[in-house]
Amino acid sequence: MSQVTSPVSAATTDGSHITPQQWKWSALAGMASYLDAGSIVALGAGMALFKKEFGLSDGMVGALAAIGPNAIGCAIGAFLGGWLGDKLGRKRIYQYDLMVYALGILIVALSVNVTMLFLGTFIVGVAVGADVPTSLALVGEFAPAKARGKLLGFTQVAWCLGPVIVLWLALALAPLEMLGIRIVLLHLLVVAIVTWALRQGLAESARWKEAVKFGGKSLGELFQGRNLRALVWTATIYLFWNLAAGTAGIFNPYIFKTLNVGTQAQSVGLSSMWFVITMIVTVTVFMKFSDRSHGMRRGLWGLGAVLQIGAYALFLLMPFTVPVVVANIVLFAVGCALAGEATYKVFSQELFPTMLRGTAQGFTFGVARTVLGFWSFFVPILANSGIKPVAGLLTLFLAISGVVGFFWMPDTSGKSLEQIEAERA
């Protein structure tokens, strides 16, 4: 596949037209989200089986969740990948990290002991963590000003699609138990290799190539003035939202099975509902309206925050039964599409200068996943004592994210990255 001119210049003067090439490049960049969420959910779907196969204690189950793509491994990769993406270019990172990911997935899929399981999971986490901030920076930098939310929302569709395919595969292969989970993991290996091959035709970000001519920025600038304020805001909304989303993503099947809400197959099927609904609402609502105005963004966020808080408050007020679980999933899924990772992705591109963009998102993404890693140690233990302790804390976390996001949301909708940077200066 030959390289072509960056599509930044291809946007029409109104800043809203998206070319076929921009859709294609967004899809390839968005596969980082597919592989990120897909690996998280694959490990989650197999968590109870891994526990049985390798004799893992509750603490070891928490540790496995903590070191992989859901948490600490991903955090390390994000810190390094985001910083290197600003220093060396987006292309150098996203061209090669998927081969490291493929190696990690292969080790997990073929694991015959605890060492292989933990090593492969850690490698997967580091690789996907490095990919996310660089790939999203690429999308943010070539997206038209009035369609940035739409294209970054499109990458969130991939974030939903990965878990849906993984969970449906796990559901179909549930009778095979451990062999079924190994097959699911090998599917991610194939997707990573194919995506790596297709990405070889992607060009470097034109905005990064222009910015690098004027020299890099020091890391210290990220922790000063407007950059520090943006860093604190994006880190807060994502950290507290991700504690809830990460728990649901990797632990829902485990919690449902542990608390006897259906069979393994039924718990996996219930979990897939979240991603399907989030994907539908992202396409029909977030992608359609997120670029319209600042007021529209705040309105979408406020509605989404209320729905998510209500989703986990249900478990505090009602018994933990299948109908209540379904209501939780529907409310949380709709809320995630409107006040979740898609919005965080958009602001992570808009609020930082080009030479700090990857570093900033890598930092906030990494902090959120690190905290989630420590939280993951306690989820299985809390779940064994019932759903209320977990639900109470998740309700609080979502309330913090919702309030901070709504009342301190910056006005950047529909503006070019250069205009936003000039205004914030």
Side-chain angles (χ1 to χ4, degrees):
M1 189 184 299
S2 60
Q3 290 186 3
V4 293
T5 304
S6 169
V8 171
S9 59
T12 55
T13 54
D14 71 351
S16 63
H17 176 69
I18 302 174
T19 68
Q21 186 181 80
Q22 287 170 322
W23 283 115
K24 178 181 178 181
W25 285 24
S26 295
L28 288 175
M31 289 308 294
S33 295
Y34 179 104
L35 295 168
D36 173 29
S39 56
I40 290 170
V41 174
L43 290 168
M47 194 66 73
L49 296 172
F50 287 133
K51 181 179 181 180
K52 179 181 177 181
E53 178 79 7
F54 298 112
L56 304 180
S57 65
D58 284 341
M60 293 178 74
V61 168
L64 182 63
I67 67 166
N70 205 32
I72 295 171
C74 183
I76 293 171
F79 288 137
L80 293 175
W83 177 70
L84 289 173
D86 286 338
K87 293 291 183 182
L88 306 177
R90 319 312 188 197
K91 184 175 180 178
R92 292 192 186 182
I93 306 302
Y94 65 61
Q95 265 196 323
Y96 302 110
D97 55 16
L98 289 186
M99 296 311 292
V100 179
Y101 176 95
L103 173 64
I105 282 288
L106 184 63
I107 293 173
V108 176
L110 301 181
S111 60
V112 295
N113 54 47
V114 173
T115 301
M116 288 183 68
L117 177 64
F118 274 70
L119 175 63
T121 299
F122 179 71
I123 292 173
V124 168
V126 171
V128 80
D131 200 301
V132 168
T134 49
S135 296
L136 293 178
L138 178 72
V139 177
E141 287 166 3
F142 70 59
K146 296 182 181 179
R148 195 178 301 115
K150 180 176 288 187
L151 285 179
L152 287 163
F154 185 54
T155 70
Q156 198 67 7
V157 172
W159 183 85
C160 297
L161 189 60
V164 168
I165 292 175
V166 164
L167 285 166
W168 286 354
L169 274 175
L171 182 62
L173 298 170
L176 299 179
E177 296 190 335
M178 195 65 205
L179 175 60
I181 292 299
R182 294 184 192 275
I183 293 172
V184 170
L185 290 164
L186 290 173
H187 132 266
L188 292 172
L189 169 70
V190 173
V191 172
I193 293 173
V194 171
T195 302
W196 169 82
L198 292 174
R199 280 185 175 185
Q200 300 312 298
L202 290 175
E204 181 59 84
S205 162
R207 277 192 166 99
W208 182 84
K209 289 195 293 185
E210 183 65 26
V212 79
K213 294 177 183 177
F214 300 96
K217 291 183 177 291
S218 68
L219 187 60
E221 292 182 63
L222 188 59
F223 300 96
Q224 299 174 6
R226 63 192 174 98
N227 291 329
L228 177 60
R229 291 191 294 273
L231 198 69
V232 170
W233 186 78
T234 52
T236 301
I237 64 168
Y238 186 61
L239 165 62
F240 288 100
W241 175 85
N242 191 57
L243 284 168
T247 301
I250 198 166
F251 282 117
N252 267 1
Y254 177 80
I255 292 173
F256 296 161
K257 185 94 184 301
T258 301
L259 298 180
N260 297 314
V261 182
T263 64
Q264 169 79 2
Q266 289 170 332
S267 71
V268 168
L270 281 171
S271 297
S272 71
M273 281 180 55
W274 169 30
F275 297 102
V276 172
I277 295 170
T278 299
M279 181 165 53
I280 292 170
V281 178
T282 298
V283 172
T284 59
V285 182
F286 183 85
M287 289 177 61
K288 185 175 181 180
F289 296 106
S290 65
D291 292 301
R292 293 210 173 173
S293 68
H294 175 60
M296 179 64 73
R297 279 189 180 176
R298 288 190 77 202
L300 292 175
W301 180 274
L303 175 60
V306 169
L307 292 174
Q308 291 179 98
I309 293 166
Y312 279 96
L314 282 177
F315 290 144
L316 300 176
L317 304 173
M318 304 180 72
F320 192 61
T321 60
V322 171
V324 176
V325 168
V326 170
N328 163 267
I329 290 171
V330 172
L331 291 173
F332 190 57
V334 176
C336 280
L338 306 179
E341 187 162 283
T343 306
Y344 158 76
K345 286 178 176 179
V346 174
F347 281 107
S348 292
Q349 311 315 311
E350 293 180 343
L351 295 179
F352 300 97
T354 298
M355 296 305 292
L356 289 174
R357 186 166 290 122
T359 305
Q361 181 156 9
F363 180 82
T364 56
F365 197 78
V367 166
R369 293 298 177 95
T370 299
V371 175
L372 180 61
F374 288 108
W375 164 249
S376 296
F377 280 108
F378 302 103
V379 172
I381 300 168
L382 289 170
N384 283 335
S385 64
I387 193 63
K388 291 189 185 299
V390 175
L393 288 169
L394 296 186
T395 302
L396 174 62
F397 296 156
L398 289 166
I400 294 171
S401 176
V403 168
V404 172
F406 183 82
F407 287 104
W408 285 277
M409 181 178 288
D411 181 3
T412 54
S413 179
K415 301 175 182 179
S416 71
L417 296 179
E418 290 76 18
Q419 180 184 354
I420 294 168
E421 185 170 354
E423 288 178 355
R424 291 179 61 77

